[in-house]
Amino acid sequence: MEFIMIFISAVLVNNIVLARFLGVCPFLGVSKKVETSLGMGMAVTFVMTLASLISYVVYNLILVPLKIEYLSTIAFILVIASLVQLVEMIIQKTSPSLYQALGVYLPLITTNCAVLGIALINMNKGIQTDGAFGLIHSVINGFGTAVGFTLAIVLLAGIREHIEFNPIPKNFKGYPIVLITAGLMAIAFLGFAGMIK
Amino acid sequence: MDVQSIIFSGLSIGGLGLLFGLGLGVAAKVFEVKVDPLIPLVRDALPSANCGACSFPGCDAYAKAIVEDGASITSCPVGGADLIEELSKIMGKEAVEVIKQVAYVKCQGTCDNAIEKYEYSGVMDCKNATFLQGKGSKGCEYGCLGLSSCVRVCEFDAIDIIDGIAIINKDKCVACGKCVLECPKNLIEMVPDDKKTRVACASEDKGKEAKSNCTTACIACRLCVKACEYDAIHVDKNIARIDYDKCVECGACVAKCPTKAIIDYKIK
C-alpha cells in the first residue's frame, strides 16, 4: 500500500514537471510529436529509475560510511552522466530513427535537473525519515516520477499536435502558446494537491 | 577536514569514475554502430550551409546519401565545381563538368520604367501584397514588387533591392533555389551563368497593355524570333523565351528588341 501511495504521489501529486517545475527543457523541447515525446519519456524513465537505484547504493554504501555526504551532488552527476551515455549507445544501436528524433535532447538528459533532482529528493527523504526511505522506496519514487514526466510530456505533445493548425494569434505562435498550455496543465495538476498528504 | 577525508573523497569519486568509464568502454564495444569511414570525410568536404538545396535534409543527410545510396555528387550548388572535384577524389568517381547556375530576376520594372497602380503602405512582404487587388501595387501584375521577400529568404546575402526591384549578385549566388520558391510572382529563374543574353521581362500581357505598364516590357512583337538564326528564341504566352541550349549569344535579338526587354549582361 505504501509503495502505491509513493507511486501515485510521484506521478500525479508531486509531478516533477507540473508541480515541482523541474526538467522543463525537454518538456518544451521534445513535445512536438507524441511519438518522439513517448521515446523521450522512455529514455528518461530508464535513466531515472536506474539513477535512483545506483545513486541510493552510491550514497548509502560509499558516501555515508566514508562521511563524505557533501560530495553527493558530484557523485550523482557522475552516475547520471554515465547512464545517459549508456542509454545513448543503446538507442543509437536499437532505434536510429528515435536517436535522430531525440537529437540533442538525449545527451541533455545528463543535465536534466529532473534526474538529478529525483536523486537528491530521494536522499533528502532518506535523511528526513531517518533512513526509512529505503532502496525500494527510492526506486519506486524514481520510476513514478519518470512516469509522471512521461505522462506530462505526452499530454503536452498531444495538445500541441491538436492546436498546431488552430488560428493562434501570430504573437502567440510557437513557444508562447506552449508555455501557456504548460501553465494551464500545471494549474490542472494542482487539483491533485492534497490527495495524498 | 583532515588529510584522510581528502584522500577518501578523491579515491571514492575517482574510483567511481573509473568504474563507470570502464563500464562505458565495454558498452561502447557491445553497442558499436558501424559507420562508413567515408561519411565523415564527405561531410567535412560539404560546405555546412544546411540549406537543403541538394534536396536532402541538410549536409549530414546528403553526406550519408552520397556514401550509402550512391547519390549524385553534383547536387550541392553551394560548393560549386571545387566541391565536386573534392568529392570525386573522396568517392573515386569521375568529376563531371557542371556549368554554374545563378538565380535571375526576369524583370526590369524599376521605379522609372514601370507605373504603380496605387500607393502600397502595407506589410513589406511580396506574398502579402500579392493577395491585394491587382496582385500588388505594380501596374504590371507580373513584375517584381521589390518588397524583399526573396532578400529575407536568401541565406547568402546575394539579393538586393535596387531601384524598386530585386537584383541578384551573381558572385554571391549559390543557386540554392530558395528565392525561386519564395517569389509569389515566379519571377526568379535558374539560368546558366555563362549565357548572358536573357529576357528581362515576365509579362504575359498583350503588347499594348504590357507597354502601357512598363517601358521595358516584352510586347511579344516577335522581332527577336525573326532575328535569331539559331532557332533559340520563341514567343509563348506573349513573352519571348530563350532556349539556353541553342543560344550562342550572337546578340541579334538584343539589337532588334524595340523595348530593350532582352539584355546582354556581358555589356551591361
Side-chain angles (χ1 to χ4, degrees), chain A residues 54 75 77-86 89, chain B residues 12-30:
Chain A
I54 299 178
I77 290 174
L78 200 63
V79 169
I80 292 163
S82 317
L83 274 174
V84 172
Q85 283 287 313
L86 184 67
M89 286 176 201
Chain B
S12 56
I13 297 293
L16 271 179
L18 200 66
L19 190 71
F20 291 142
L22 283 174
L24 283 178
V26 173
K29 279 272 171 253
V30 175

Side-chain angles (χ1 to χ4, degrees), chain A:
Chain A
M1 194 60 202
E2 198 193 345
F3 294 141
I4 299 173
M5 294 292 264
I6 290 176
F7 183 75
I8 291 176
S9 158
V11 176
L12 296 174
V13 184
N14 290 319
N15 188 292
I16 191 87
V17 188
L18 297 171
R20 290 191 201 269
F21 304 108
L22 292 174
V24 174
C25 166
F27 179 64
L28 297 177
V30 204
S31 55
K32 263 207 174 110
K33 275 199 244 145
V34 171
E35 207 178 312
T36 9
S37 64
L38 201 61
M40 185 70 185
M42 292 299 161
V44 169
T45 307
F46 184 77
V47 173
M48 228 183 231
T49 314
L50 273 182
S52 350
L53 175 80
I54 299 178
S55 60
Y56 182 90
V57 173
V58 167
Y59 181 75
N60 283 293
L61 295 187
I62 298 177
L63 300 184
V64 173
L66 293 174
K67 296 201 171 51
I68 45 170
E69 292 96 330
Y70 58 89
L71 284 175
S72 57
T73 310
I74 291 178
F76 292 168
I77 290 174
L78 200 63
V79 169
I80 292 163
S82 317
L83 274 174
V84 172
Q85 283 287 313
L86 184 67
V87 172
E88 200 177 339
M89 286 176 201
I90 294 174
I91 291 184
Q92 195 178 9
K93 178 81 177 178
T94 52
S95 169
S97 55
L98 182 63
Y99 182 75
Q100 282 275 322
L102 291 177
V104 71
Y105 292 99
L106 187 58
L108 275 182
I109 300 179
T110 318
T111 49
N112 186 341
C113 47
V115 183
L116 181 61
I118 207 62
L120 291 172
I121 286 168
N122 282 341
M123 186 195 81
N124 279 339
K125 275 196 175 166
I127 295 169
Q128 278 163 15
T129 54
D130 216 11
F133 204 73
L135 180 64
I136 300 169
H137 293 77
S138 294
V139 172
I140 287 180
N141 194 30
F143 179 67
T145 307
V147 171
F149 177 85
T150 312
L151 179 74
I153 197 171
V154 170
L155 281 178
L156 182 69
I159 296 173
R160 278 180 77 172
E161 275 186 3
H162 278 282
I163 64 172
E164 173 99 31
F165 297 109
N166 283 13
I168 300 162
K170 198 185 167 195
N171 294 344
F172 285 107
K173 276 230 162 83
Y175 280 109
I177 195 71
V178 177
L179 284 168
I180 291 171
T181 314
L184 289 174
M185 283 172 71
I187 294 174
F189 267 70
L190 206 62
F192 292 115
M195 200 166 87
I196 295 169
K197 289 244 165 62

